[in-house]
Amino acid sequence: MIRIILFLLLIALGAAGAAWVAEQTGDVVLSWGGYRAQTTLPVFVLVLGIVIVTAMMMWAILHGLWRTPARMRRNQRERRQARGRHAITQGLLAIGHGDSTAARIHAEAARKHAAHDPLALLLHAQSAQLDGDRDGAQRAFRAMAEREDTRLLGLRGLFIEAQRSDDPVAAVMVAEEALRMSPSSSWASHAVLGFCCAKGDWAGALKILDNNQSAGLIDKPTYRRHRGVLLTARALELEKVDRDLARESVMEAVKLAPTLAPAAVLASKFESEAHQVRRSMRLVETAWLAQPHPDLADAYAHVKLGDSARQRLVRVETLAAKTPGHIEGALAIARAAIDASEFTKAREALAPFVAQPTQRVALLMAEIERTEHGDSGRARAWTLRAVRALHDPAWTADGYVSDRWRPVSPVTGRLDAFQWQTPVAALPSDKGPAIESSPFEEAMLATPRRAVVLEPPKDVEVEEPAVEPVAPAAPVPPAAQDNAPPAAGAAEIAPVVESALPEPVAVDPVPAPGAEPPKPAESAPNQPAPLFRSRRDIPKAVPAPIPAVIPLIRAPDDPGVDEDGPADEFAEQIGPPKAQAGGWRGFLSRWGGD
């Protein structure tokens, strides 16, 4: 609307000016050299306007012609950039849905049309990673690291490639370079922090942690927890080297992270050595209420040096009462009760967990059976049961199970990753019971019975048992059996065989070939049972002998005669063979064949 009003105003002003010029009187004389031109004022103004407009048009045409090559180059460059942007967009989309072939094609197009675009370098590097071309990806990331605008991105890519190539030295060097360029880079600080913890540089790790907190990468509670973890790790390392620095570190750690079990255990030990018993007990109790741990129970039991086993048992019972029903409390009571020879209390403490025991419960029950009654059989049964029992909690981080606490995960380098929990691989499955045993294992877990060896009476001949016939008849030849009692060496292995074999089964004797079957005879009650019995599933017949094969011996270069040559379907006779001709033709054919 405003433009229309302005246009109308301009037309009105032009018309008013033209009317004013037309109303003016007078002549305009132009004398130039020997030429003289005279005209009226309106005509002069009109001619002057036409000349000005013509000059402007000519200038526009000449200026346009002069700038045509530059405009053409600019248009060509813009088209190339548009094609490069389109290739980059399509290539990133192809990488997103995992089409490596399309990503590689678009990366080549982007490098051709937009070689200096940082996104083209990123597309080339990611397409090389998708194809598994690590050399190409490293070249692309190096090119990105040499540019000012993509240096951090290139260093991040080189760091990832170094990790994939299992080159920790190169990865840490790249991360340190990135951390110097940008102290607020979270991935670089995380990598350098993990490396400092891995090599035991606790001072450097604490410095990086302070930088992360000042840069706003972590909040205050996380900073306090992580600093306590690092101080605890330094105290554990310097416990036997520099006890003063270890004590100072662990005391600060237990203030920053009072629920950290390793810090509470070590601090309790230092306080106990300084005869600060009540303070030592408070440290352990605070950590125990957050997460019961066997090391805490052991430190609480030995908080006062020189106590007897019964005094330690009373103290452990006090600690376990703070978390009633927890398995760690029951295990601590059972351990202290065994040391104090209070086996009844140990059994009562473990009774709620005997139905589905863990490995520690089963091993403690085995120790109780062995120490209280000296029953090695029941102790062995509990030990065998511990093999299939549920696993106890352990220090676990990212699927890695460690026998001790560590400040950093060895898998991902994450700080404060270890947690006291049951490993995932040891959790029971809903597809079947986890600790049910087979009948064979039930028999193995049972108390073994002592095998009774039936020895023959001294007045009975062992060489050959006597058989009383029912009626007088011809002497019956003895049956050929393989269960005759051995002479000397069988007596030594008799207990083992009798305990391993099942109940005796009556087996009919096998008559000798060519003899009449023996008549049934009465069983001799005083005769000992044979040690070895015949099996019906094994035939007694001797297998037929295998005829010897006589090999044919030929020269090495003799291929031999191929008696069974390959069948040729074209050489086979399709029709029936022709009969021999009769008469004189047959006679001549037979005579010529001879």
Side-chain angles (χ1 to χ4, degrees):
M1 186 66 183
I2 297 176
R3 292 181 180 181
I4 296 175
I5 294 174
L6 292 176
F7 181 72
L8 295 176
L9 289 176
L10 289 176
I11 293 176
L13 290 175
W20 179 80
V21 171
E23 291 176 356
Q24 298 299 322
T25 60
D27 297 332
V28 177
V29 178
L30 179 62
S31 178
W32 185 12
Y35 298 94
R36 186 174 182 275
Q38 183 178 0
T39 182
T40 60
L41 181 61
V43 175
F44 175 76
V45 173
L46 178 61
V47 172
L48 182 62
I50 294 173
V51 170
I52 293 174
V53 171
T54 304
M56 291 176 62
M57 292 179 63
M58 293 299 295
W59 172 255
I61 293 172
L62 293 176
H63 186 267
L65 293 175
W66 179 262
R67 298 189 60 183
T68 297
R71 188 181 297 108
M72 293 177 63
R73 288 193 298 269
R74 185 175 64 252
N75 293 338
Q76 185 179 5
R77 184 170 59 253
E78 291 178 354
R79 286 194 299 269
R80 290 173 61 89
Q81 290 179 357
R83 293 174 183 175
R85 291 286 180 176
H86 178 73
I88 290 172
T89 303
Q90 297 300 321
L92 293 177
L93 292 177
I95 289 175
H97 57 74
D99 191 352
S100 60
T101 304
R104 183 172 60 254
I105 295 173
H106 290 301
E108 295 295 334
R111 186 169 58 179
K112 178 180 178 182
H113 297 293
H116 301 285
D117 196 330
L119 292 179
L121 295 176
L122 178 61
L123 175 60
H124 181 66
Q126 290 190 349
S127 63
Q129 286 181 335
L130 190 61
D131 283 339
D133 184 9
R134 292 186 176 180
D135 295 335
Q138 290 180 359
R139 287 193 299 269
F141 284 125
R142 288 194 189 98
M144 295 172 66
E146 294 175 355
R147 297 181 49 159
E148 188 68 26
D149 54 348
T150 60
R151 183 166 297 174
L152 284 177
L153 184 58
L155 292 176
R156 176 67 185 277
L158 291 176
F159 172 76
I160 295 175
E161 289 299 323
Q163 282 187 326
R164 291 181 178 178
S165 302
D166 294 332
D167 191 357
V169 178
V172 171
M173 292 177 61
V174 172
E176 289 177 349
E177 178 66 22
L179 191 61
R180 282 193 295 268
M181 291 183 55
S182 176
S184 61
S185 179
S186 59
W187 66 269
S189 62
H190 175 77
V192 177
L193 180 63
F195 178 74
C196 291
C197 294
K199 68 178 182 179
D201 185 9
W202 307 115
L206 289 171
K207 182 179 179 181
I208 294 174
L209 188 64
D210 294 339
N211 293 336
N212 293 343
Q213 198 271 336
S214 60
L217 298 179
I218 54 177
D219 53 0
K220 190 68 174 180
T222 306
Y223 168 73
R224 292 175 59 86
R225 174 75 179 188
H226 287 179
R227 183 173 178 83
V229 168
L230 293 177
L231 291 173
T232 303
R234 183 172 69 178
L236 290 174
E237 184 177 343
L238 300 178
E239 180 183 0
K240 298 181 180 179
V241 179
D242 190 351
R243 294 184 63 85
D244 294 335
L245 182 57
R247 177 184 176 85
E248 179 183 354
S249 300
V250 77
M251 288 305 169
E252 183 182 356
V254 82
K255 292 179 181 178
L256 296 174
T259 59
L260 186 60
V265 170
L266 187 58
S268 173
K269 180 180 178 180
F270 282 121
E271 293 292 342
S272 176
E273 292 176 355
H275 303 288
Q276 301 291 334
V277 178
R278 297 187 62 85
R279 186 175 180 181
S280 176
M281 293 173 64
R282 285 197 300 269
L283 293 175
V284 174
E285 289 172 357
T286 302
W288 179 270
L289 291 175
Q291 177 64 62
H293 193 275
D295 293 344
L296 294 172
D298 184 71
Y300 199 82
H302 297 84
V303 70
K304 186 182 293 186
L305 303 178
D307 282 354
S308 63
R310 295 184 182 273
Q311 291 174 337
R312 293 197 299 269
L313 174 59
V314 173
R315 192 178 299 115
V316 168
E317 289 178 345
T318 304
L319 180 65
K322 298 181 180 298
T323 54
H326 201 280
I327 187 173
E328 291 295 341
L331 291 172
I333 293 175
R335 178 71 270 169
I338 292 174
D339 295 339
S341 299
E342 296 286 345
F343 301 106
T344 304
K345 287 187 177 181
R347 291 181 183 273
E348 291 176 356
L350 297 178
F353 309 99
V354 169
Q356 292 184 352
T358 62
Q359 292 180 350
R360 291 169 58 196
V361 172
L363 292 177
L364 285 176
M365 289 299 298
E367 186 175 355
I368 291 173
E369 297 292 346
R370 185 183 300 107
T371 307
E372 182 181 9
H373 302 296
D375 193 346
S376 59
R378 291 185 178 274
R380 184 171 62 252
W382 278 107
T383 305
L384 292 176
R385 193 171 182 180
V387 176
R388 288 182 56 87
L390 294 174
H391 288 259
D392 293 280
W395 290 113
T396 308
D398 301 323
Y400 179 85
V401 180
S402 176
D403 57 345
R404 59 184 178 87
W405 176 82
R406 297 183 181 183
V408 180
S409 170
V411 180
T412 60
R414 183 164 53 94
L415 188 62
D416 192 24
F418 277 92
Q419 302 293 330
W420 182 256
Q421 59 186 3
T422 304
V424 178
L427 294 178
S429 173
D430 55 353
K431 296 182 179 179
I435 60 173
E436 285 189 3
S437 57
S438 61
F440 174 76
E441 292 176 350
E442 292 291 341
M444 289 295 295
L445 292 176
T447 305
R449 297 179 300 175
R450 297 182 178 180
V452 179
V453 182
L454 299 177
E455 297 182 357
K458 297 181 179 180
D459 55 348
V460 179
E461 295 292 339
V462 182
E463 285 76 6
E464 186 173 355
V467 179
E468 298 180 0
V470 178
V476 180
Q481 298 182 4
D482 59 349
N483 57 357
E492 299 177 0
I493 62 173
V496 179
V497 176
E498 284 294 325
S499 61
L501 290 176
E503 297 296 330
V505 181
V507 180
D508 297 333
V510 181
E516 296 180 358
K519 297 181 180 180
E522 297 180 359
S523 60
N526 296 329
Q527 293 180 359
L531 295 179
F532 298 94
R533 299 169 176 83
S534 62
R535 296 179 56 180
R536 297 184 179 182
D537 56 344
I538 301 179
K540 299 299 182 179
V542 180
I546 301 175
V549 178
I550 302 176
L552 297 178
I553 301 177
R554 297 187 178 93
D557 56 348
D558 184 10
V561 180
D562 189 5
E563 298 179 356
D564 298 332
D568 189 1
E569 59 180 353
F570 298 102
E572 293 181 357
Q573 187 176 6
I574 300 177
K578 297 182 179 180
Q580 187 176 4
W584 60 275
R585 295 180 179 177
F587 173 76
L588 290 178
S589 62
R590 288 193 299 271
W591 180 74
D594 295 338

